[in-house]
Amino acid sequence: MTYLISGGAGFVGSHLTEALLERGEQVIILDDLSTGSIENIRHLRLNRRLRTVIESVMDRRLLAELVDESDVVLHLAAAVGVRRIIESPVRTIETNVKGTELVLEAAAKKQKLVFIASTSEVYGKNAKTPFKEDDDTIWGATTKSRWSYAASKALDEFLALAYWKEKKLPVVIGRLFNTVGPRQTGRYGMVLPTFVSQALEGSPLTVFGTGKQSRCFGYVGDVVEAILRLVSTQTAVGEVVNIGNDTEISIGDLALLVKDRTGSNSPVRFIPYDEAYEPGFEDMTRRVPCLDKLLRLTGFRPSTPLSAIIDKVITHQSAKASQTALVRHSEVGFVESAQSV
Ligand code: UDP
């Protein structure tokens, strides 16, 4: 089978690519490297079953050609990270809405199965726990730019479901809940990679708000497994499915856990939301997925414990830091062998 992965050089996309290649499948990555990175897929570059195309999903003709060559389309290309959404709202809305529209249009011409990566952000401020896929969405005012992400992703879901209903295009929608693991960068504001790098550097761990808000963190390897099972499950077609782990932790406790796993002496610094994001910023207090539907459809339930995930992130970041140190040394003429670093 050939899988086209838009956003394949991103954090989740690169893990999906790796898993598919390990299973003997063919993969075409389509990524414009706006938030993805060649670093994420460098270790796969010699695999003959991988083709990488550095272009935007907005290139309609190219997209049509690549969809033609594929059996399944995994659409992950999207604007990511709350900070980026606040800083670049135009790009967020355009990438999320137009990109998905073009992918669905191209897939519909050839009736190719499409997986749309959506987000738990769609549930918005609904205080209910856990979130079930058919629960109401509750967003804030349009003047608060954070909600443009939820609205743009919800529109993607509406459009995908409409393609299924009206044109019988097979679609599966996954709502991802705070996916974490190696290769995720803190550059776009995500909390776990940020805390780990702060702890490793010995700088303060920046907890926004009171730190009492909570999240459930799903391991990227589990998320990949869930996605691949969903796209090979006939009864998942036309469905919206939560994907994540349902063990909840407050952000304040996450900071303490990261300190504990890294053995860091970094202090924890509380920063008001207004300062961390923008005046009037609204956060979600809790966000817990109900995983019954995922389990019923696929027989799978993500369960990698958070401490194990944090250890993997620490290992990854430490290895990356040593590599960077090696490059810096060689740049200034202190060329040393990899063993000695
Ligand atoms: N957060 C934090 N410090 C950081 C980055 C994020 O306290 O350096 C908080 C953020 O305000 C939110 C939670 O951690 O309450 C998760 O943030 P993230 O951006 O990772 O994902 P979100 O759930 O907001 O999409």
Side-chain angles (χ1 to χ4, degrees):
M1 295 265 277
T2 300
Y3 291 75
L4 172 63
I5 309 185
S6 73
F11 160 53
V12 180
S14 67
H15 284 275
L16 256 177
T17 302
E18 200 174 87
L20 284 166
L21 292 175
E22 270 166 21
R23 291 171 193 208
E25 310 287 8
Q26 311 264 351
V27 177
I28 305 172
I29 287 178
L30 175 62
D31 199 304
D32 66 359
L33 302 183
S34 52
T35 52
S37 153
I38 285 291
E39 271 319 301
N40 289 339
I41 50 169
R42 194 182 295 282
H43 61 296
L44 305 171
R45 70 190 182 284
L46 298 179
N47 194 309
R48 287 160 166 255
R49 282 178 283 105
L50 172 64
R51 195 177 141 203
T52 304
V53 181
I54 308 300
E55 250 310 334
S56 163
V57 282
M58 305 291 191
D59 185 332
R60 196 187 228 122
R61 238 185 65 193
L62 173 70
L63 183 65
E65 277 170 28
L66 299 180
V67 167
D68 255 12
E69 292 174 40
S70 317
D71 301 296
V72 178
V73 182
L74 306 175
H75 178 47
L76 281 89
V80 289
V82 174
R83 178 158 303 148
R84 192 171 167 87
I85 284 142
I86 287 167
E87 284 165 5
S88 319
V90 172
R91 201 186 165 100
T92 301
I93 298 167
E94 285 186 354
T95 308
N96 291 0
V97 176
K98 267 195 211 158
T100 304
E101 191 183 320
L102 292 175
V103 166
L104 289 167
E105 182 190 82
K109 286 199 180 118
K110 302 290 161 104
Q111 286 292 305
K112 300 283 170 80
L113 174 67
V114 186
F115 173 83
I116 301 284
S118 185
T119 166
S120 55
E121 186 86 11
V122 164
Y123 292 106
K125 298 195 278 186
N126 192 337
K128 183 179 173 283
T129 50
F131 288 136
K132 284 195 171 173
E133 289 82 352
D134 53 2
D135 281 337
D136 290 345
T137 54
I138 304 179
W139 304 327
T142 51
T143 46
K144 312 223 160 168
S145 50
R146 172 189 194 131
W147 301 114
S148 66
Y149 182 51
S152 63
K153 282 297 196 173
L155 191 59
D156 288 353
E157 292 193 13
F158 277 127
L159 192 61
L161 293 171
Y163 264 96
W164 164 237
K165 195 173 162 202
E166 209 178 305
K167 301 179 191 282
K168 286 287 153 257
L169 174 70
V171 298
V172 182
I173 298 161
R175 284 191 185 148
L176 274 56
F177 282 68
N178 293 80
T179 306
V180 287
R183 291 186 214 138
Q184 185 179 37
T185 166
R187 206 174 306 141
Y188 309 114
M190 277 78 159
V191 69
L192 183 60
T194 303
F195 281 178
V196 170
S197 62
Q198 289 168 335
L200 292 176
E201 284 165 11
S203 48
L205 272 66
T206 51
V207 172
F208 301 159
T210 61
K212 293 208 165 29
Q213 74 274 27
S214 66
R215 294 291 186 271
C216 297
F217 295 93
Y219 178 51
V220 66
D222 289 342
V223 169
V224 162
E225 179 66 27
I227 294 174
L228 295 182
R229 285 189 188 213
L230 281 170
V231 293
S232 50
T233 302
Q234 192 52 45
T235 48
V237 170
E239 298 291 339
V240 179
V241 188
N242 289 338
I243 303 178
N245 190 310
D246 57 3
T247 309
E248 199 177 358
I249 184 168
S250 75
I251 299 302
D253 284 348
L254 178 71
L256 298 180
L257 185 58
V258 168
K259 266 172 63 79
D260 181 50
R261 305 305 295 187
T262 50
S264 168
N265 290 324
S266 290
V268 173
R269 182 185 296 160
F270 289 86
I271 300 178
Y273 284 124
D274 286 8
E275 227 175 274
Y277 296 106
E278 63 179 355
F281 178 81
E282 289 179 329
D283 200 5
M284 283 147 215
T285 48
R286 294 178 76 185
R287 201 196 251 168
V288 182
C290 170
L291 299 173
D292 294 353
K293 191 169 181 183
L294 178 67
L295 185 63
R296 184 164 38 82
L297 287 170
T298 66
F300 180 68
R301 187 186 185 92
S303 59
T304 305
L306 185 54
S307 49
I309 307 174
I310 294 175
D311 290 351
K312 286 176 200 284
V313 174
I314 295 169
T315 307
H316 174 78
Q317 286 203 10
S318 305
K320 230 178 126 186
S322 331
Q323 272 169 14
T324 312
L326 176 64
V327 171
R328 281 213 192 104
H329 273 285
S330 38
E331 274 170 358
V332 289
F334 299 104
V335 184
E336 295 180 27
S337 72
Q339 282 92 345
S340 63
V341 173

